[in-house]
Coordinates of all heavy atoms in Angstrom, one line a residue:
S1064 N 45.4 -61.0 10.0 CA 45.4 -62.4 9.9 C 43.9 -62.8 9.6 O 43.0 -62.1 9.9 CB 45.8 -63.0 11.2 OG 47.1 -62.7 11.6
S1065 N 43.8 -64.1 9.1 CA 42.5 -64.6 8.8 C 41.9 -65.0 10.1 O 42.5 -65.7 11.0 CB 42.6 -65.8 7.9 OG 41.4 -66.4 7.6
Y1066 N 40.6 -64.7 10.3 CA 39.8 -65.1 11.4 C 38.6 -65.9 11.0 O 38.1 -65.7 9.9 CB 39.4 -63.9 12.2 CG 40.4 -63.2 13.0 CD1 41.3 -62.3 12.4 CD2 40.5 -63.4 14.4 CE1 42.3 -61.7 13.2 CE2 41.5 -62.8 15.2 CZ 42.4 -62.0 14.5 OH 43.4 -61.4 15.3
T1067 N 38.2 -66.8 11.9 CA 36.9 -67.4 11.8 C 36.0 -66.8 12.9 O 36.4 -66.7 14.1 CB 36.9 -68.9 12.0 OG1 37.7 -69.4 10.9 CG2 35.5 -69.5 11.9
M1068 N 34.8 -66.3 12.5 CA 33.9 -65.7 13.4 C 32.7 -66.7 13.6 O 32.1 -67.1 12.6 CB 33.4 -64.4 12.8 CG 34.5 -63.4 12.5 SD 35.4 -62.8 13.9 CE 34.1 -62.0 14.8
G1069 N 32.4 -66.9 14.8 CA 31.3 -67.8 15.1 C 30.2 -67.1 15.8 O 30.4 -66.2 16.6
W1070 N 28.9 -67.5 15.6 CA 27.8 -67.1 16.4 C 27.3 -68.4 17.1 O 27.1 -69.5 16.6 CB 26.6 -66.6 15.5 CG 26.8 -65.2 15.0 CD1 27.3 -64.9 13.7 CD2 26.6 -64.0 15.7 NE1 27.3 -63.5 13.6 CE2 26.9 -62.9 14.8 CE3 26.1 -63.7 16.9 CZ2 26.7 -61.6 15.2 CZ3 25.9 -62.4 17.3 CH2 26.2 -61.4 16.4
F1071 N 27.1 -68.2 18.4 CA 26.6 -69.2 19.3 C 25.4 -68.7 20.1 O 25.2 -67.5 20.1 CB 27.7 -69.6 20.3 CG 28.8 -70.4 19.7 CD1 29.8 -69.7 19.0 CD2 28.9 -71.8 19.7 CE1 30.9 -70.4 18.5 CE2 29.9 -72.5 19.2 CZ 31.0 -71.8 18.5
R1072 N 24.6 -69.6 20.6 CA 23.5 -69.2 21.5 C 23.4 -70.2 22.7 O 23.8 -71.3 22.6 CB 22.2 -69.1 20.7 CG 21.7 -70.5 20.2 CD 20.5 -70.3 19.3 NE 19.9 -71.5 18.9 CZ 19.0 -71.6 18.0 NH1 18.4 -70.5 17.5 NH2 18.5 -72.8 17.6
Q1073 N 22.9 -69.6 23.7 CA 22.7 -70.4 24.9 C 21.4 -70.1 25.6 O 21.2 -68.9 26.0 CB 23.9 -70.2 25.9 CG 23.9 -71.2 27.0 CD 25.2 -71.3 27.8 OE1 26.0 -70.3 27.7 NE2 25.5 -72.3 28.5
A1074 N 20.5 -71.1 25.7 CA 19.3 -71.0 26.4 C 19.5 -71.4 27.8 O 20.4 -72.2 28.1 CB 18.2 -71.8 25.7
P1075 N 18.6 -71.0 28.7 CA 18.7 -71.4 30.1 C 18.7 -72.9 30.3 O 17.9 -73.6 29.7 CB 17.5 -70.8 30.8 CG 17.2 -69.6 29.9 CD 17.5 -70.0 28.6
G1076 N 19.7 -73.4 31.0 CA 19.8 -74.8 31.3 C 20.3 -75.7 30.1 O 20.4 -76.9 30.2
K1077 N 20.7 -75.0 29.1 CA 21.2 -75.8 27.9 C 22.7 -75.4 27.6 O 23.2 -74.4 28.1 CB 20.4 -75.5 26.7 CG 18.9 -76.0 26.8 CD 18.2 -75.9 25.5 CE 16.8 -76.5 25.6 NZ 16.1 -76.4 24.3
E1078 N 23.3 -76.3 26.9 CA 24.7 -76.0 26.5 C 24.8 -74.9 25.4 O 23.8 -74.7 24.7 CB 25.4 -77.3 26.0 CG 25.5 -78.3 27.0 CD 26.3 -79.5 26.6 OE1 26.6 -79.6 25.3 OE2 26.7 -80.4 27.4
R1079 N 25.9 -74.3 25.2 CA 26.1 -73.3 24.2 C 26.1 -74.0 22.8 O 26.8 -75.0 22.6 CB 27.4 -72.6 24.4 CG 27.6 -71.3 23.6 CD 28.6 -70.4 24.2 NE 28.2 -69.9 25.5 CZ 28.9 -68.8 26.1 NH1 29.9 -68.3 25.5 NH2 28.5 -68.4 27.3
E1080 N 25.3 -73.5 21.9 CA 25.0 -74.2 20.7 C 25.6 -73.3 19.5 O 25.4 -72.1 19.5 CB 23.5 -74.3 20.5 CG 23.1 -74.9 19.1 CD 21.6 -74.8 18.9 OE1 20.9 -74.1 19.6 OE2 21.1 -75.5 17.9
F1081 N 26.2 -74.0 18.6 CA 26.8 -73.3 17.4 C 25.6 -73.0 16.5 O 24.8 -73.8 16.1 CB 27.7 -74.3 16.6 CG 28.2 -73.7 15.3 CD1 29.3 -72.8 15.3 CD2 27.7 -74.2 14.1 CE1 29.8 -72.3 14.1 CE2 28.2 -73.7 12.9 CZ 29.2 -72.8 12.9
V1082 N 25.5 -71.7 16.1 CA 24.5 -71.2 15.2 C 25.1 -71.1 13.8 O 24.4 -71.6 12.8 CB 24.0 -69.8 15.6 CG1 23.1 -69.2 14.6 CG2 23.4 -69.9 17.0
G1083 N 26.2 -70.6 13.6 CA 26.8 -70.5 12.3 C 28.1 -69.7 12.4 O 28.5 -69.2 13.4
G1084 N 28.8 -69.6 11.3 CA 30.1 -69.0 11.3 C 30.5 -68.4 9.9 O 29.8 -68.8 8.9
I1085 N 31.5 -67.6 9.9 CA 32.0 -67.0 8.6 C 33.5 -66.8 8.7 O 34.0 -66.4 9.8 CB 31.2 -65.7 8.3 CG1 31.6 -65.2 6.9 CG2 31.6 -64.6 9.4 CD1 30.7 -64.0 6.4
T1086 N 34.2 -67.1 7.6 CA 35.6 -66.7 7.6 C 35.8 -65.3 7.1 O 35.2 -64.9 6.1 CB 36.3 -67.7 6.6 OG1 35.8 -67.6 5.3 CG2 36.2 -69.1 7.1
W1087 N 36.5 -64.6 7.9 CA 36.6 -63.1 7.6 C 37.1 -62.8 6.3 O 36.6 -62.0 5.6 CB 37.4 -62.4 8.7 CG 37.0 -61.0 8.8 CD1 37.2 -60.0 7.8 CD2 36.2 -60.3 9.8 NE1 36.6 -58.8 8.2 CE2 36.0 -59.0 9.4 CE3 35.8 -60.8 11.1 CZ2 35.4 -58.1 10.2 CZ3 35.1 -59.9 11.8 CH2 34.9 -58.6 11.5
N1088 N 38.2 -63.4 5.9 CA 38.8 -63.0 4.6 C 38.1 -63.5 3.4 O 37.9 -62.8 2.4 CB 40.3 -63.5 4.6 CG 41.2 -62.7 5.5 OD1 40.8 -61.7 6.1 ND2 42.5 -63.1 5.5
E1089 N 37.7 -64.8 3.5 CA 37.0 -65.4 2.3 C 35.5 -65.2 2.3 O 34.9 -65.3 1.2 CB 37.3 -66.9 2.3 CG 38.8 -67.3 2.2 CD 39.5 -67.3 3.6 OE1 38.7 -67.1 4.6 OE2 40.7 -67.5 3.7
G1090 N 34.9 -65.0 3.4 CA 33.5 -64.9 3.5 C 32.7 -66.2 3.4 O 31.5 -66.2 3.1
N1091 N 33.4 -67.3 3.6 CA 32.7 -68.6 3.6 C 31.9 -68.8 4.8 O 32.3 -68.4 5.9 CB 33.8 -69.7 3.5 CG 34.6 -69.7 2.2 OD1 34.1 -69.3 1.2 ND2 35.8 -70.1 2.3

C-alpha cells in the first residue's frame, strides 16, 4: 500500500513539529 512518511521533531517544552514528509510510492 501507499504510505506517507513524515519526519517530526520535538524540543524540550515544545510541541511536536512537522519537519517534512515523503510519499513512499511516488517520492513526492
Side-chain angles (χ1 to χ4, degrees):
S1064 300
S1065 177
Y1066 283 82
T1067 296
M1068 305 295 294
W1070 283 99
F1071 290 81
R1072 66 186 182 186
Q1073 190 165 19
K1077 295 190 176 181
E1078 293 187 351
R1079 194 161 293 193
E1080 176 191 13
F1081 176 77
V1082 174
I1085 188 167
T1086 59
W1087 201 293
N1088 286 358
E1089 301 84 3
N1091 297 327

